[in-house]
Amino acid sequence: MTSRIRNAYDIRVEEGVLTPDPAQAEVLVALERLETDLARRGLFGRPPEVKGIYLWGPPGRGKSMLMDLFYSATPEPRKRRAHFHAFMARVHDLVRQWREGDSKSRKAVFGTHKGDDPIPPIAKLIASEARLLCFDELQVTDIADAMILGRLFEALFEDKVVLAITSNRAPEDLYKNGINRQLFVPFIDIIRDRCAVVQTAGARDWRLDRLSSAQVWHTPDDRAGFEELWRELKGGEPEEPAHLAVLGRDVVVERTVGSMARARFADLCGRPLGPQDYLAVAARFHTLFLEDVPILGPSNQQEARRLVTLVDALYEAKTKLIVLAAARPEALYTEGVGAFEFERTVSRFNEMQSKDWLAHVRE
């Protein structure tokens, strides 16, 4: 009998949505094993211990696409899927609620728990919500995350939570050269013990293949091309908002798919955002679709200044940029304070459309 994940994959191949990739065969087998194990029942109907999966490899090899198919196909009723950054943002918020709350407010959120350690009640809460947790793009660069992960996941595994993870890095390379990394190493051991580690190292990066031949600067008469490129790159994955914690503030990017984001010029440059906000956007996303960029002038020179800062952040982070603008880069801002300096941004816009730029692989 064909597994659900295999059937979903084959249907998309038949429809022409996917091109068969031999490098994905091992991943499909591993996901089929996980699908079967999740359907098993232990003694007295209790859920058995199930080994999860950790998929890692370069960007663009279909990890998120396969995870999306698996998540949609698995009949496990208690399941959650999230980008890892979003999951950790919620964990940090729950830590804050625990530490700032009194016994009454703690009980309202977490139920009855003794002691002052927030990790056990947070793990119990998460485990009560989902047996299967699917994470996209696990990466650890923050010491606060590093210090939490080992204890949190150990507690989740004790409650028989199953993980399905994608990452660009092998477990051993997570938080590499990070501060106090020796305190993070137990988390790596836990992942190795509780998840089957599968590498997706196919030769093709289908996103880069598509971008290398794509037009990435669009004007209003080619809005359809901008929309089609967004649809192709996000595939069948659902859009969701991303929350970025910046200097104690919550910066929301409403339309994201994994490490791709889509935003209007008014949302990123029409609001009083600053360099740290744009650095956070550039670090979080490998590709940004920026739409409805108007012709700028003296009346909106602040928006022009923010656009310069945004492009600088994207450029330094090697983030791919697809633009829908009212004019070509050279005609965007020709009059107003900083118009002369804007020529550097025009140069960057043009470089970011080059094949060399689009072919760059960002870790």
Side-chain angles (χ1 to χ4, degrees):
M1 180 178 177
T2 304
S3 67
R4 290 171 180 252
I5 175 64
R6 178 76 63 174
N7 188 53
Y9 184 86
D10 289 344
I11 288 173
R12 281 157 178 78
V13 169
E14 290 173 6
E15 292 174 343
V17 176
L18 297 178
T19 301
D21 187 343
Q24 295 172 354
E26 184 180 358
V27 178
L28 280 169
V29 170
L31 290 171
E32 286 183 299
R33 187 275 306 166
L34 181 53
E35 178 185 318
T36 299
D37 288 353
L38 283 168
R40 289 190 294 110
R41 288 292 174 261
L43 292 174
F44 309 109
R46 295 173 183 171
E49 188 173 292
V50 173
K51 193 161 191 169
I53 187 169
Y54 182 104
L55 306 179
W56 75 275
R61 268 57 177 187
K63 298 186 299 295
S64 294
M65 175 273 295
L66 290 169
M67 183 70 75
D68 185 57
L69 287 182
F70 169 75
Y71 181 82
S72 299
T74 181
E76 170 59 48
R78 294 195 308 117
K79 57 184 179 180
R80 292 289 175 89
R81 182 179 177 187
H83 194 281
F84 188 70
H85 281 298
F87 173 77
M88 289 308 300
R90 186 194 178 205
V91 168
H92 286 298
D93 184 60
L94 290 170
V95 170
R96 178 193 59 77
Q97 291 183 53
W98 176 270
R99 289 177 173 165
E100 295 178 0
D102 55 21
S103 59
K104 183 178 180 180
S105 61
R106 286 180 178 180
K107 185 175 181 179
V109 176
F110 303 98
T112 302
H113 290 276
K114 296 180 179 179
D116 291 322
D117 183 359
I119 299 303
I122 290 173
K124 286 289 185 186
L125 176 63
I126 294 170
S128 72
E129 298 169 343
R131 179 191 179 205
L132 172 66
L133 290 177
C134 297
F135 293 133
D136 265 333
E137 303 192 32
L138 186 151
Q139 57 178 319
V140 184
T141 57
D142 186 287
I143 188 172
D145 290 353
M147 296 304 99
I148 287 174
L149 281 170
R151 296 181 58 237
L152 175 64
F153 278 65
E154 187 174 15
L156 289 172
F157 286 135
E158 286 179 1
D159 282 327
K160 292 186 170 54
V161 171
V162 181
L163 292 186
I165 297 170
T166 71
S167 178
N168 293 342
R169 296 177 180 271
E172 292 75 16
D173 290 334
L174 293 170
Y175 198 51
K176 198 170 186 178
N177 301 320
I179 299 171
N180 292 326
R181 189 175 187 270
Q182 71 277 7
L183 301 177
F184 178 75
V185 171
F187 173 71
I188 297 173
D189 295 336
I190 290 172
I191 289 295
R192 280 282 182 187
D193 181 54
R194 303 303 292 264
C195 294
V197 178
V198 180
Q199 184 177 5
T200 56
R204 291 182 61 250
D205 182 335
W206 65 271
R207 285 196 185 103
L208 287 183
D209 287 350
R210 182 63 184 93
L211 277 175
S212 65
S213 61
Q215 177 182 337
V216 296
W217 190 282
H218 302 261
T219 49
D221 59 351
D222 187 36
R223 175 177 282 274
F226 180 87
E227 296 287 352
E228 178 61 22
L229 186 58
W230 171 255
R231 283 194 296 270
E232 284 189 38
L233 292 185
K234 81 184 186 77
E237 296 181 49
E239 297 179 18
E240 59 185 8
H243 295 260
L244 310 180
V246 183
L247 303 176
R249 294 177 291 106
D250 183 28
V251 178
V252 182
V253 181
E254 293 292 344
R255 301 182 66 180
T256 74
V257 178
S259 284
M260 291 200 312
R262 176 171 174 170
R264 297 181 304 156
F265 174 85
D267 294 329
L268 285 183
C269 301
R271 297 190 292 152
L273 300 179
Q276 294 300 321
D277 302 298
Y278 298 136
L279 288 171
V281 169
R284 169 66 174 77
F285 302 106
H286 62 55
T287 303
L288 173 65
F289 281 69
L290 183 65
E291 62 184 310
D292 298 335
V293 179
I295 293 176
L296 301 162
S299 63
N300 47 19
Q301 61 191 31
Q302 291 299 323
E303 288 89 337
R305 179 182 59 78
R306 294 188 193 111
L307 179 60
V308 169
T309 306
L310 171 62
V311 172
D312 284 347
L314 299 174
Y315 182 88
E316 294 300 329
K318 299 293 190 294
T319 299
K320 308 290 189 298
L321 179 63
I322 294 90
V323 178
L324 176 62
R328 297 294 304 168
E330 295 78 6
L332 273 185
Y333 189 47
T334 60
E335 183 182 358
V337 175
F340 178 78
E341 290 77 9
F342 193 79
E343 291 180 8
R344 181 176 68 111
T345 300
V346 171
S347 176
R348 290 193 161 181
F349 276 140
N350 288 326
E351 182 181 351
M352 293 167 84
Q353 297 177 59
S354 70
K355 286 189 176 182
D356 285 348
W357 180 273
L358 294 172
H360 177 82
V361 178
R362 193 179 96 167
E363 289 193 358

